[in-house]
Amino acid sequence: MDHTQRKYSEYKAWLQPKSSLTPKALRIRADFDLDFIHQECRLGLNRLWGEIKESAAYTLQLKIDDGAHEAYSLTPLASGFEIAGGSKRGLLYGVYRFLNRLATGESIDQIHERSAPQVDYRIINHWDNMDGHIERGYAGQSFFFAHNQFDYDAERITDYARLMASIGINGICINNVNVNKVSAGLIAEPLLSDLADLAALFRPFGIRLMVSVHFDAPMIVGGLTTSDPLDAGVKEFWRAQSAVVYDKIPDFLGYVVKADSEFRGGPEAFGRTQADGANTIAAAVAPFGGLVFWRCFVYNCQQDWRDAQTDRPMAAYKHFQPLDGAFDQNVILQIKNGPVDFQTREPVSPLFSSLTNTHEAIEFQIAQEYTGQQIDLFSLAVQWEEILTTEVNKGKQLRGLFGHEITAVTAVTNTGNNMNWTGNTLAQCNLYAFGRIAWNPDLTAKELIREWIRITFETDEHGSQTIEAMLLQSRDIYENYTAPLGIGFMVNPSNHYGPNVDGYEFSHWGTYHRADFEAIGVDRTSKGTGFTTQYPESLQNMYDHIATCPEELLLFFHRVRYDYQMKDGRTLLQYIYDSHFEGAQQAEALLQSWETLENRVPQEAFYSVKERLKRQLRNAREWRDQVNTYFYRKSGIDDEKGRQIYR
Ligand code: GCV
């Protein structure tokens, strides 16, 4: 990347210079041994205010106090300001938070905050392959790898590390969970030394690296004839190889493992349990304080569509719930937020309410695989707020498990080597929001979106209100024109963008809507596949009964006739027609709103977002017409309002 690119405003993301702020003359003083943080603070103030004017009359004091490890406090004093952290990392977070609050336009003396994260591990997962291609990547190629080796620009990595640390991220897994023969070698030389060099760039920012490992590494890397986790040679391989890794990178965070999933090897291939597999690897990293993030995305991806008994959302619970309590202390089960796969609308995975003796990580997807691929606008903060405030047990919300059962928050990132990191500049908001909710799940979508707009753009009232309204509505709009009421999928197979109502209907992936001439959906109640029985009783009852099931999840839980009367009196079919017509209209309104922002946001961002909103509109119309025509052809029932449905 050349230096002219770094000048683009979108590259700076939420760490923007500001011309409208009033600088304050001050002197920064730091305790002994805080040079790096001092330098970050100075750099940040210079960015916001221009060159700092020194004044002995006002002191910005940076210090370590006796607070919790990652906690910080921001306190205005009589003639100065104090940023304190429970450790260097806590102090660094305090400095970034202070700078971000200044960037929103707050004056120093209004800034008063004490904060500590609710979970210890806040992690970004890259699905970067070593050939440079990113699985489900919508923002270019990897900025870590190319041509099956490390290939990065150290300055960009430093900028990335700062961006991530500024929102509280403390762990990054750099490679795809679908590990291949090349990336399996990341835990051995010669790649390991390169990994150590990369880890050194992240270290000052308090970010520890992880890699995804291949379950069959004992065979691929170690040359053994088995990967059976109970085999003595296999255990020794993991122990010895991990010792080599930790010798090179003492603060290495650990491994992510996708096993027995989508054609990956795993313990079940050897007649062993998920716990046998996870514990063998965990035992190898335990002496070094390492962790194993063991993914629960385990299901039969070779299902016969004729088989109506097997119900994919039930799979993770079936594999893992019976093993509650059987995992070692340094194993964290990494569970996708929903039981299927990052759809526009799903219930919360029943594993969260049913594992009580196991460390859990919730896995979100910032990459918009099924939610518009960073072309269509989709504010994930809105979706995450709903997920986090969903009741999971006896009135307790999912976010109430943070810091207890849930000890880590992870997400598949939406970044790549595009100059603006995320392809769509507005998708930076999702990355920002992720870090912030991982730190504090009580933040609302509205707060997060506002904060992001204020630190990212220097625009007028109309500009910020327009962007805020667009982002806040974006999730409902996308949902309106795509698959209705939690039914999911209906996307083009493989690339997962654009409509294809029956695209997955006769495939082996276990994702069926089973629409016929009078009804649609899978009965997942206790009288159907039994999926609802995986929830605590009160939730089971709520989901079981069509009258109490949240309407937005109607087609996730129930098989419903097209003439079923919705709460507002419309039939299900009419609801589908209406929401699709409305969604396409709303997509048009998004474009019109954005067009009013010319000269109110940086030019590159204006044109690139506009281009994407045009593509979104084409996509929305295609979804509207394909979905409406599909249901018209199935049901033979006209739209009550006589709008155009193609025959
Ligand atoms: C990395 C979905 C995606 C896959 C992904 C998988 C996973 O199936 O389509 O690309 O693989 O999830 O989360 O492991």
Side-chain angles (χ1 to χ4, degrees):
M1 194 172 74
D2 66 34
H3 285 273
T4 50
Q5 280 188 312
R6 286 204 184 88
K7 288 200 191 123
Y8 281 110
S9 122
E10 291 93 289
Y11 176 77
K12 300 188 184 84
W14 51 85
L15 299 182
Q16 293 287 331
K18 295 276 164 152
S19 58
S20 56
L21 301 181
T22 319
K24 189 164 185 77
L26 52 74
R27 187 162 59 187
I28 308 176
R29 294 173 69 126
D31 283 1
F32 167 72
D33 195 26
L34 296 175
D35 291 354
F36 176 77
I37 303 173
H38 186 156
Q39 188 189 312
E40 280 298 293
C41 187
R42 179 169 294 278
L43 212 70
L45 288 174
N46 284 343
R47 166 171 60 81
L48 295 176
W49 289 345
E51 203 58 39
I52 307 180
K53 276 210 197 69
E54 291 283 333
S55 160
Y58 191 94
T59 307
L60 175 57
Q61 179 73 43
L62 310 182
K63 66 174 228 192
I64 306 287
D65 64 9
D66 53 6
H69 177 55
E70 292 189 302
Y72 63 78
S73 62
L74 310 177
T75 321
L77 306 173
S79 58
F81 194 92
E82 182 186 274
I83 308 180
S87 65
K88 283 189 186 174
R89 202 188 296 160
L91 178 59
L92 190 63
Y93 293 143
V95 165
Y96 290 135
R97 181 69 188 141
F98 168 72
L99 292 167
N100 278 355
R101 288 191 61 173
L102 280 182
T104 66
E106 285 182 86
S107 74
I108 284 199
D109 38 307
Q110 286 169 344
I111 299 176
H112 203 291
E113 181 175 330
R114 299 182 80 79
S115 190
Q118 293 190 20
V119 298
D120 287 342
Y121 305 104
R122 303 169 303 278
I123 294 177
I124 288 288
N125 285 228
H126 282 258
W127 281 358
D128 295 24
N129 296 313
M130 289 198 64
D131 64 4
H133 171 257
I134 301 177
E135 178 147 353
R136 312 306 175 187
Y138 311 107
Q141 297 284 106
S142 171
F143 47 71
F144 296 130
F145 309 115
H147 311 297
N148 287 328
Q149 40 196 334
F150 281 88
D151 185 352
Y152 57 81
D153 167 352
E155 210 176 318
R156 183 168 183 147
I157 297 298
T158 302
D159 290 338
Y160 176 60
R162 180 177 297 113
L163 261 185
M164 293 301 97
S166 77
I167 50 171
I169 298 301
N170 62 8
I172 294 186
C173 181
I174 59 166
N175 65 307
N176 190 356
V177 287
N178 289 340
V179 183
N180 61 21
K181 291 207 164 125
V182 182
S183 52
L186 280 166
I187 53 172
E189 293 298 358
L191 293 175
L192 181 57
S193 287
D194 295 336
L195 179 64
D197 291 344
L198 186 68
L201 294 176
F202 282 98
R203 186 166 297 119
F205 294 92
I207 294 173
R208 298 163 72 188
L209 291 194
M210 310 184 75
V211 293
S212 300
V213 290
H214 204 303
F215 183 80
D216 291 326
M219 297 195 276
I220 299 168
V221 180
L224 303 184
T225 52
T226 180
S227 303
D228 179 349
L230 299 192
D231 177 89
V234 168
K235 288 185 175 178
E236 175 52 21
F237 164 81
W238 283 112
R239 193 203 59 74
Q241 203 58 47
S242 300
V244 173
V245 170
Y246 277 89
D247 185 45
K248 279 266 169 204
I249 315 172
D251 62 349
F252 190 66
L253 186 51
Y255 304 137
V256 179
V257 192
K258 172 175 177 177
D260 288 314
S261 170
E262 299 186 333
F263 313 108
R264 308 286 124 189
E268 293 180 15
F270 301 95
R272 311 298 185 192
T273 68
Q274 298 294 320
D276 293 333
N279 292 345
T280 285
I281 304 180
V285 293
F288 312 102
L291 301 174
V292 168
F293 285 75
W294 189 266
R295 294 180 87 234
C296 296
F297 189 54
V298 179
Y299 68 99
N300 174 13
C301 67
Q302 291 291 281
Q303 192 179 330
D304 185 333
W305 60 269
R306 297 168 192 83
D307 165 13
Q309 298 313 310
T310 308
D311 189 20
R312 171 168 162 179
M314 298 177 75
Y317 178 102
K318 283 188 173 168
H319 279 91
F320 290 92
Q321 200 285 326
L323 295 172
D324 189 21
F327 292 91
D328 285 356
Q329 280 307 304
N330 62 332
V331 174
I332 300 184
L333 292 188
Q334 186 160 320
I335 307 164
K336 289 192 181 187
N337 60 262
V340 183
D341 192 7
F342 302 133
Q343 298 300 293
T344 306
R345 177 81 68 175
E346 298 182 43
V348 165
S349 167
L351 272 176
F352 293 114
S353 45
S354 61
L355 295 174
T356 50
N357 283 310
T358 306
H359 295 301
E360 298 158 35
I362 184 164
E363 180 181 312
F364 293 110
Q365 193 185 44
I366 319 175
Q368 293 170 239
E369 177 177 356
Y370 296 96
T371 51
Q373 305 201 348
Q374 286 138 247
I375 300 165
D376 300 26
L377 200 60
F378 192 111
S379 172
L380 287 159
V382 174
Q383 188 192 51
W384 295 334
E385 183 185 341
E386 286 165 5
I387 291 169
L388 291 167
T389 54
T390 297
E391 184 189 333
V392 287
N393 207 354
K394 298 195 181 115
K396 196 181 232 181
Q397 297 181 344
L398 181 64
R399 62 184 174 179
L401 306 182
F402 277 42
H404 305 282
E405 290 87 341
I406 295 181
T407 54
V409 181
T410 70
V412 182
T413 193
N414 62 352
T415 52
N417 70 353
N418 277 184
M419 185 260 294
N420 67 353
W421 304 95
T422 55
N424 188 334
T425 303
L426 296 183
Q428 289 177 357
C429 183
N430 290 334
L431 186 57
Y432 180 82
F434 170 71
R436 298 282 289 129
I437 58 142
W439 182 281
N440 176 6
D442 299 331
L443 290 165
T444 65
K446 197 167 185 158
E447 285 167 332
L448 292 165
I449 288 169
R450 275 209 179 146
E451 191 172 289
W452 174 77
I453 293 169
R454 278 159 104 203
I455 60 177
T456 303
F457 296 107
E458 279 195 301
T459 182
D460 57 12
E461 205 44 34
H462 170 78
S464 31
Q465 280 178 10
T466 304
I467 303 171
E468 180 181 320
M470 289 176 70
L471 286 169
L472 278 172
Q473 292 159 13
S474 59
R475 174 246 159 80
D476 287 350
I477 295 176
Y478 186 83
E479 185 174 36
N480 277 345
Y481 61 77
T482 55
L485 301 166
I487 195 87
F489 280 82
M490 296 192 169
V491 286
N492 278 304
S494 303
N495 85 342
H496 298 168
Y497 187 76
N500 190 336
V501 180
D502 280 342
Y504 274 95
E505 200 49 24
F506 303 100
S507 74
H508 52 85
W509 296 100
T511 51
Y512 315 114
H513 57 68
R514 302 194 189 277
D516 66 14
F517 69 101
E518 61 180 1
I520 179 170
V522 172
D523 179 359
R524 297 202 161 100
T525 67
S526 44
K527 297 204 176 88
T529 66
F531 171 67
T532 57
T533 65
Q534 296 184 344
Y535 289 96
E537 208 181 332
S538 63
L539 295 180
Q540 179 194 321
N541 286 336
M542 176 180 80
Y543 292 134
D544 254 357
H545 298 103
I546 200 160
T548 52
C549 178
E551 198 158 67
E552 61 276 11
L553 284 167
L554 184 69
L555 296 180
F556 189 94
F557 284 105
H558 295 273
R559 180 162 181 83
V560 183
R561 289 174 56 94
Y562 299 130
D563 59 6
Y564 167 79
Q565 215 177 52
M566 304 285 288
K567 292 197 173 110
D568 65 6
R570 282 182 286 180
T571 63
L572 168 64
L573 187 74
Q574 192 56 41
Y575 173 90
I576 294 175
Y577 289 154
D578 285 350
S579 57
H580 285 76
F581 282 116
E582 193 189 341
Q585 257 170 19
Q586 291 171 311
E588 195 168 349
L590 282 179
L591 175 60
Q592 286 161 356
S593 294
W594 185 256
E595 280 172 338
T596 68
L597 300 188
E598 187 157 18
N599 302 322
R600 287 180 153 114
V601 293
Q603 236 187 17
E604 297 86 15
F606 176 76
Y607 287 112
S608 71
V609 171
K610 184 172 159 183
E611 180 50 34
R612 283 180 157 79
L613 288 168
K614 284 184 177 166
R615 288 166 72 187
Q616 170 168 7
L617 179 54
R618 286 198 293 277
N619 189 37
R621 288 179 173 153
E622 199 56 36
W623 269 97
R624 174 198 64 196
D625 291 338
Q626 288 202 26
V627 170
N628 284 346
T629 295
Y630 181 91
F631 287 102
Y632 171 76
R633 287 182 183 168
K634 285 273 172 198
S635 67
I637 301 172
D638 279 320
D639 169 38
E640 279 170 6
K641 298 181 185 148
R643 290 161 293 191
Q644 166 113 53
I645 294 182
Y646 297 85
R647 303 281 135 142

